[in-house]
Amino acid sequence: MDTGGQAERLATLVRLNTEVHRAYLLKEMFRRFWEYKRPGWAKRFLKLWCAWAVGLPAQQPSQPFVTPARAWATNSRRFAA
């Protein structure tokens, strides 16, 4: 039975919805970064967050943010401000 490409369109919608959901979770998780009072804990959180973001299958949208954030986290003097 030909459904006129409905199965293919549904698969595309499921994939897009999954990517949007992952991006939303990353955004919500990152909110915690601003709550840290101690530089060491903020640095640890940022490193873990970046590793999680890059490890996702839909990593392309997060990559432009993760690369500079990871570089920033490795420079501990920026957290001492």
Side-chain angles (χ1 to χ4, degrees), residues 33 35-47 72-81:
F33 174 76
E35 298 172 6
Y36 285 102
K37 305 286 187 234
R38 295 181 181 229
W41 284 108
K43 184 177 180 179
R44 180 178 180 267
F45 172 82
L46 190 56
K47 284 184 177 183
W72 188 61
T74 59
N75 185 358
S76 61
R77 282 179 262 150
R78 292 189 185 225
F79 284 103

PDB file of all heavy atoms in Angstrom, residues 33 35-47 72-81:
ATOM      1  N   PHE A  33      25.213  26.334  34.594  1.00  0.00           N
ATOM      2  CA  PHE A  33      26.560  26.900  34.582  1.00  0.00           C
ATOM      3  C   PHE A  33      26.608  28.243  35.300  1.00  0.00           C
ATOM      4  O   PHE A  33      27.532  28.530  36.048  1.00  0.00           O
ATOM      5  CB  PHE A  33      27.044  27.058  33.135  1.00  0.00           C
ATOM      6  CG  PHE A  33      28.358  27.777  33.014  1.00  0.00           C
ATOM      7  CD1 PHE A  33      29.535  27.132  33.326  1.00  0.00           C
ATOM      8  CD2 PHE A  33      28.404  29.097  32.607  1.00  0.00           C
ATOM      9  CE1 PHE A  33      30.751  27.789  33.222  1.00  0.00           C
ATOM     10  CE2 PHE A  33      29.604  29.767  32.496  1.00  0.00           C
ATOM     11  CZ  PHE A  33      30.784  29.108  32.805  1.00  0.00           C
ATOM     12  N   GLU A  35      24.918  29.310  37.720  1.00  0.00           N
ATOM     13  CA  GLU A  35      24.622  29.222  39.143  1.00  0.00           C
ATOM     14  C   GLU A  35      25.849  28.897  39.987  1.00  0.00           C
ATOM     15  O   GLU A  35      25.809  29.051  41.204  1.00  0.00           O
ATOM     16  CB  GLU A  35      23.541  28.168  39.390  1.00  0.00           C
ATOM     17  CG  GLU A  35      22.227  28.514  38.715  1.00  0.00           C
ATOM     18  CD  GLU A  35      21.219  27.378  38.788  1.00  0.00           C
ATOM     19  OE1 GLU A  35      21.501  26.361  39.462  1.00  0.00           O
ATOM     20  OE2 GLU A  35      20.157  27.518  38.161  1.00  0.00           O
ATOM     21  N   TYR A  36      26.931  28.451  39.372  1.00  0.00           N
ATOM     22  CA  TYR A  36      28.124  28.075  40.134  1.00  0.00           C
ATOM     23  C   TYR A  36      28.807  29.307  40.704  1.00  0.00           C
ATOM     24  O   TYR A  36      28.988  30.316  40.019  1.00  0.00           O
ATOM     25  CB  TYR A  36      29.094  27.292  39.254  1.00  0.00           C
ATOM     26  CG  TYR A  36      28.638  25.876  39.022  1.00  0.00           C
ATOM     27  CD1 TYR A  36      28.034  25.510  37.833  1.00  0.00           C
ATOM     28  CD2 TYR A  36      28.801  24.906  40.001  1.00  0.00           C
ATOM     29  CE1 TYR A  36      27.599  24.211  37.621  1.00  0.00           C
ATOM     30  CE2 TYR A  36      28.377  23.608  39.795  1.00  0.00           C
ATOM     31  CZ  TYR A  36      27.777  23.270  38.613  1.00  0.00           C
ATOM     32  OH  TYR A  36      27.348  21.996  38.408  1.00  0.00           O
ATOM     33  N   LYS A  37      29.177  29.225  41.946  1.00  0.00           N
ATOM     34  CA  LYS A  37      29.882  30.321  42.618  1.00  0.00           C
ATOM     35  C   LYS A  37      31.393  30.104  42.602  1.00  0.00           C
ATOM     36  O   LYS A  37      32.155  31.041  42.703  1.00  0.00           O
ATOM     37  CB  LYS A  37      29.417  30.434  44.075  1.00  0.00           C
ATOM     38  CG  LYS A  37      27.924  30.598  44.229  1.00  0.00           C
ATOM     39  CD  LYS A  37      27.484  31.979  43.836  1.00  0.00           C
ATOM     40  CE  LYS A  37      26.027  32.165  44.165  1.00  0.00           C
ATOM     41  NZ  LYS A  37      25.241  32.606  43.057  1.00  0.00           N
ATOM     42  N   ARG A  38      31.798  28.842  42.548  1.00  0.00           N
ATOM     43  CA  ARG A  38      33.227  28.523  42.593  1.00  0.00           C
ATOM     44  C   ARG A  38      33.745  28.217  41.193  1.00  0.00           C
ATOM     45  O   ARG A  38      33.155  27.427  40.469  1.00  0.00           O
ATOM     46  CB  ARG A  38      33.474  27.329  43.510  1.00  0.00           C
ATOM     47  CG  ARG A  38      33.121  27.649  44.934  1.00  0.00           C
ATOM     48  CD  ARG A  38      33.389  26.465  45.808  1.00  0.00           C
ATOM     49  NE  ARG A  38      33.014  26.793  47.177  1.00  0.00           N
ATOM     50  CZ  ARG A  38      33.785  26.582  48.203  1.00  0.00           C
ATOM     51  NH1 ARG A  38      34.954  26.020  48.043  1.00  0.00           N
ATOM     52  NH2 ARG A  38      33.370  26.901  49.405  1.00  0.00           N
ATOM     53  N   PRO A  39      34.853  28.843  40.831  1.00  0.00           N
ATOM     54  CA  PRO A  39      35.409  28.651  39.485  1.00  0.00           C
ATOM     55  C   PRO A  39      35.707  27.185  39.161  1.00  0.00           C
ATOM     56  O   PRO A  39      35.471  26.746  38.037  1.00  0.00           O
ATOM     57  CB  PRO A  39      36.688  29.473  39.500  1.00  0.00           C
ATOM     58  CG  PRO A  39      36.483  30.482  40.567  1.00  0.00           C
ATOM     59  CD  PRO A  39      35.612  29.834  41.598  1.00  0.00           C
ATOM     60  N   GLY A  40      36.216  26.436  40.112  1.00  0.00           N
ATOM     61  CA  GLY A  40      36.559  25.039  39.861  1.00  0.00           C
ATOM     62  C   GLY A  40      35.346  24.201  39.480  1.00  0.00           C
ATOM     63  O   GLY A  40      35.411  23.365  38.571  1.00  0.00           O
ATOM     64  N   TRP A  41      34.240  24.422  40.186  1.00  0.00           N
ATOM     65  CA  TRP A  41      33.018  23.672  39.880  1.00  0.00           C
ATOM     66  C   TRP A  41      32.435  24.097  38.535  1.00  0.00           C
ATOM     67  O   TRP A  41      31.934  23.266  37.766  1.00  0.00           O
ATOM     68  CB  TRP A  41      31.975  23.852  40.979  1.00  0.00           C
ATOM     69  CG  TRP A  41      32.297  23.062  42.194  1.00  0.00           C
ATOM     70  CD1 TRP A  41      32.730  23.547  43.397  1.00  0.00           C
ATOM     71  CD2 TRP A  41      32.227  21.641  42.345  1.00  0.00           C
ATOM     72  NE1 TRP A  41      32.935  22.520  44.280  1.00  0.00           N
ATOM     73  CE2 TRP A  41      32.631  21.331  43.662  1.00  0.00           C
ATOM     74  CE3 TRP A  41      31.873  20.599  41.500  1.00  0.00           C
ATOM     75  CZ2 TRP A  41      32.680  20.027  44.135  1.00  0.00           C
ATOM     76  CZ3 TRP A  41      31.931  19.293  41.977  1.00  0.00           C
ATOM     77  CH2 TRP A  41      32.332  19.026  43.280  1.00  0.00           C
ATOM     78  N   ALA A  42      32.515  25.388  38.232  1.00  0.00           N
ATOM     79  CA  ALA A  42      32.029  25.868  36.935  1.00  0.00           C
ATOM     80  C   ALA A  42      32.850  25.269  35.801  1.00  0.00           C
ATOM     81  O   ALA A  42      32.297  24.835  34.786  1.00  0.00           O
ATOM     82  CB  ALA A  42      32.084  27.388  36.888  1.00  0.00           C
ATOM     83  N   LYS A  43      34.149  25.216  35.983  1.00  0.00           N
ATOM     84  CA  LYS A  43      35.035  24.651  34.973  1.00  0.00           C
ATOM     85  C   LYS A  43      34.726  23.168  34.769  1.00  0.00           C
ATOM     86  O   LYS A  43      34.634  22.692  33.634  1.00  0.00           O
ATOM     87  CB  LYS A  43      36.482  24.845  35.397  1.00  0.00           C
ATOM     88  CG  LYS A  43      37.488  24.379  34.394  1.00  0.00           C
ATOM     89  CD  LYS A  43      38.888  24.695  34.891  1.00  0.00           C
ATOM     90  CE  LYS A  43      39.936  24.236  33.917  1.00  0.00           C
ATOM     91  NZ  LYS A  43      41.280  24.553  34.381  1.00  0.00           N
ATOM     92  N   ARG A  44      34.542  22.436  35.859  1.00  0.00           N
ATOM     93  CA  ARG A  44      34.227  21.008  35.783  1.00  0.00           C
ATOM     94  C   ARG A  44      32.905  20.789  35.041  1.00  0.00           C
ATOM     95  O   ARG A  44      32.799  19.938  34.163  1.00  0.00           O
ATOM     96  CB  ARG A  44      34.152  20.417  37.183  1.00  0.00           C
ATOM     97  CG  ARG A  44      33.826  18.943  37.208  1.00  0.00           C
ATOM     98  CD  ARG A  44      33.823  18.441  38.663  1.00  0.00           C
ATOM     99  NE  ARG A  44      33.513  17.051  38.710  1.00  0.00           N
ATOM    100  CZ  ARG A  44      32.296  16.547  38.865  1.00  0.00           C
ATOM    101  NH1 ARG A  44      31.259  17.353  38.987  1.00  0.00           N
ATOM    102  NH2 ARG A  44      32.093  15.251  38.899  1.00  0.00           N
ATOM    103  N   PHE A  45      31.901  21.571  35.409  1.00  0.00           N
ATOM    104  CA  PHE A  45      30.600  21.451  34.748  1.00  0.00           C
ATOM    105  C   PHE A  45      30.723  21.726  33.257  1.00  0.00           C
ATOM    106  O   PHE A  45      30.170  20.992  32.434  1.00  0.00           O
ATOM    107  CB  PHE A  45      29.583  22.411  35.372  1.00  0.00           C
ATOM    108  CG  PHE A  45      28.300  22.458  34.605  1.00  0.00           C
ATOM    109  CD1 PHE A  45      27.331  21.493  34.799  1.00  0.00           C
ATOM    110  CD2 PHE A  45      28.071  23.449  33.669  1.00  0.00           C
ATOM    111  CE1 PHE A  45      26.142  21.519  34.074  1.00  0.00           C
ATOM    112  CE2 PHE A  45      26.893  23.488  32.939  1.00  0.00           C
ATOM    113  CZ  PHE A  45      25.934  22.514  33.143  1.00  0.00           C
ATOM    114  N   LEU A  46      31.435  22.780  32.884  1.00  0.00           N
ATOM    115  CA  LEU A  46      31.560  23.152  31.478  1.00  0.00           C
ATOM    116  C   LEU A  46      32.261  22.060  30.678  1.00  0.00           C
ATOM    117  O   LEU A  46      31.850  21.744  29.564  1.00  0.00           O
ATOM    118  CB  LEU A  46      32.307  24.479  31.343  1.00  0.00           C
ATOM    119  CG  LEU A  46      32.308  25.108  29.967  1.00  0.00           C
ATOM    120  CD1 LEU A  46      30.893  25.321  29.447  1.00  0.00           C
ATOM    121  CD2 LEU A  46      33.055  26.421  29.995  1.00  0.00           C
ATOM    122  N   LYS A  47      33.299  21.463  31.250  1.00  0.00           N
ATOM    123  CA  LYS A  47      33.993  20.378  30.556  1.00  0.00           C
ATOM    124  C   LYS A  47      33.062  19.182  30.352  1.00  0.00           C
ATOM    125  O   LYS A  47      33.033  18.584  29.273  1.00  0.00           O
ATOM    126  CB  LYS A  47      35.234  19.957  31.326  1.00  0.00           C
ATOM    127  CG  LYS A  47      36.381  20.913  31.174  1.00  0.00           C
ATOM    128  CD  LYS A  47      37.609  20.405  31.882  1.00  0.00           C
ATOM    129  CE  LYS A  47      38.772  21.346  31.654  1.00  0.00           C
ATOM    130  NZ  LYS A  47      40.002  20.861  32.264  1.00  0.00           N
ATOM    131  N   TRP A  72      37.681  27.929  26.331  1.00  0.00           N
ATOM    132  CA  TRP A  72      37.532  28.857  27.449  1.00  0.00           C
ATOM    133  C   TRP A  72      37.674  28.120  28.775  1.00  0.00           C
ATOM    134  O   TRP A  72      38.287  28.608  29.718  1.00  0.00           O
ATOM    135  CB  TRP A  72      36.175  29.542  27.342  1.00  0.00           C
ATOM    136  CG  TRP A  72      35.953  30.657  28.299  1.00  0.00           C
ATOM    137  CD1 TRP A  72      36.671  31.805  28.405  1.00  0.00           C
ATOM    138  CD2 TRP A  72      34.927  30.743  29.285  1.00  0.00           C
ATOM    139  NE1 TRP A  72      36.153  32.608  29.379  1.00  0.00           N
ATOM    140  CE2 TRP A  72      35.075  31.968  29.943  1.00  0.00           C
ATOM    141  CE3 TRP A  72      33.892  29.902  29.662  1.00  0.00           C
ATOM    142  CZ2 TRP A  72      34.237  32.373  30.970  1.00  0.00           C
ATOM    143  CZ3 TRP A  72      33.056  30.308  30.671  1.00  0.00           C
ATOM    144  CH2 TRP A  72      33.240  31.523  31.317  1.00  0.00           C
ATOM    145  N   ALA A  73      37.122  26.918  28.871  1.00  0.00           N
ATOM    146  CA  ALA A  73      37.179  26.142  30.108  1.00  0.00           C
ATOM    147  C   ALA A  73      38.596  25.702  30.431  1.00  0.00           C
ATOM    148  O   ALA A  73      38.943  25.551  31.605  1.00  0.00           O
ATOM    149  CB  ALA A  73      36.264  24.922  30.007  1.00  0.00           C
ATOM    150  N   THR A  74      39.410  25.501  29.434  1.00  0.00           N
ATOM    151  CA  THR A  74      40.785  25.060  29.699  1.00  0.00           C
ATOM    152  C   THR A  74      41.664  26.188  30.214  1.00  0.00           C
ATOM    153  O   THR A  74      42.686  25.944  30.822  1.00  0.00           O
ATOM    154  CB  THR A  74      41.421  24.440  28.446  1.00  0.00           C
ATOM    155  OG1 THR A  74      41.420  25.408  27.406  1.00  0.00           O
ATOM    156  CG2 THR A  74      40.671  23.199  28.016  1.00  0.00           C
ATOM    157  N   ASN A  75      41.254  27.419  29.994  1.00  0.00           N
ATOM    158  CA  ASN A  75      42.014  28.563  30.489  1.00  0.00           C
ATOM    159  C   ASN A  75      41.442  28.962  31.842  1.00  0.00           C
ATOM    160  O   ASN A  75      40.544  29.785  31.940  1.00  0.00           O
ATOM    161  CB  ASN A  75      41.944  29.721  29.486  1.00  0.00           C
ATOM    162  CG  ASN A  75      42.814  30.873  29.896  1.00  0.00           C
ATOM    163  OD1 ASN A  75      43.445  30.851  30.943  1.00  0.00           O
ATOM    164  ND2 ASN A  75      42.841  31.896  29.076  1.00  0.00           N
ATOM    165  N   SER A  76      41.961  28.377  32.915  1.00  0.00           N
ATOM    166  CA  SER A  76      41.383  28.581  34.248  1.00  0.00           C
ATOM    167  C   SER A  76      41.464  30.019  34.741  1.00  0.00           C
ATOM    168  O   SER A  76      40.735  30.417  35.622  1.00  0.00           O
ATOM    169  CB  SER A  76      42.038  27.645  35.253  1.00  0.00           C
ATOM    170  OG  SER A  76      43.422  27.898  35.328  1.00  0.00           O
ATOM    171  N   ARG A  77      42.350  30.812  34.172  1.00  0.00           N
ATOM    172  CA  ARG A  77      42.454  32.204  34.617  1.00  0.00           C
ATOM    173  C   ARG A  77      41.188  32.990  34.304  1.00  0.00           C
ATOM    174  O   ARG A  77      40.857  33.932  34.989  1.00  0.00           O
ATOM    175  CB  ARG A  77      43.652  32.877  33.967  1.00  0.00           C
ATOM    176  CG  ARG A  77      44.957  32.467  34.650  1.00  0.00           C
ATOM    177  CD  ARG A  77      46.119  33.114  33.999  1.00  0.00           C
ATOM    178  NE  ARG A  77      46.652  32.120  33.080  1.00  0.00           N
ATOM    179  CZ  ARG A  77      47.268  32.391  31.956  1.00  0.00           C
ATOM    180  NH1 ARG A  77      47.452  33.627  31.584  1.00  0.00           N
ATOM    181  NH2 ARG A  77      47.719  31.451  31.180  1.00  0.00           N
ATOM    182  N   ARG A  78      40.457  32.595  33.283  1.00  0.00           N
ATOM    183  CA  ARG A  78      39.208  33.296  32.960  1.00  0.00           C
ATOM    184  C   ARG A  78      38.156  33.095  34.043  1.00  0.00           C
ATOM    185  O   ARG A  78      37.280  33.902  34.208  1.00  0.00           O
ATOM    186  CB  ARG A  78      38.661  32.825  31.620  1.00  0.00           C
ATOM    187  CG  ARG A  78      39.527  33.245  30.479  1.00  0.00           C
ATOM    188  CD  ARG A  78      38.832  32.953  29.196  1.00  0.00           C
ATOM    189  NE  ARG A  78      39.736  33.263  28.115  1.00  0.00           N
ATOM    190  CZ  ARG A  78      39.384  33.933  27.040  1.00  0.00           C
ATOM    191  NH1 ARG A  78      38.160  34.327  26.905  1.00  0.00           N
ATOM    192  NH2 ARG A  78      40.240  34.187  26.102  1.00  0.00           N
ATOM    193  N   PHE A  79      38.239  31.998  34.780  1.00  0.00           N
ATOM    194  CA  PHE A  79      37.275  31.740  35.842  1.00  0.00           C
ATOM    195  C   PHE A  79      37.632  32.492  37.115  1.00  0.00           C
ATOM    196  O   PHE A  79      36.826  32.593  38.009  1.00  0.00           O
ATOM    197  CB  PHE A  79      37.203  30.237  36.149  1.00  0.00           C
ATOM    198  CG  PHE A  79      36.436  29.472  35.122  1.00  0.00           C
ATOM    199  CD1 PHE A  79      37.093  28.717  34.178  1.00  0.00           C
ATOM    200  CD2 PHE A  79      35.059  29.512  35.099  1.00  0.00           C
ATOM    201  CE1 PHE A  79      36.384  28.010  33.225  1.00  0.00           C
ATOM    202  CE2 PHE A  79      34.336  28.812  34.161  1.00  0.00           C
ATOM    203  CZ  PHE A  79      35.013  28.067  33.229  1.00  0.00           C
ATOM    204  N   ALA A  80      38.815  32.997  37.203  1.00  0.00           N
ATOM    205  CA  ALA A  80      39.252  33.666  38.430  1.00  0.00           C
ATOM    206  C   ALA A  80      38.778  35.106  38.511  1.00  0.00           C
ATOM    207  O   ALA A  80      38.995  35.771  39.507  1.00  0.00           O
ATOM    208  CB  ALA A  80      40.775  33.613  38.520  1.00  0.00           C
ATOM    209  N   ALA A  81      38.130  35.599  37.492  1.00  0.00           N
ATOM    210  CA  ALA A  81      37.709  37.006  37.466  1.00  0.00           C
ATOM    211  C   ALA A  81      36.631  37.298  38.481  1.00  0.00           C
ATOM    212  O   ALA A  81      35.904  36.525  38.942  1.00  0.00           O
ATOM    213  CB  ALA A  81      37.216  37.367  36.073  1.00  0.00           C
TER     214      ALA A  81
END
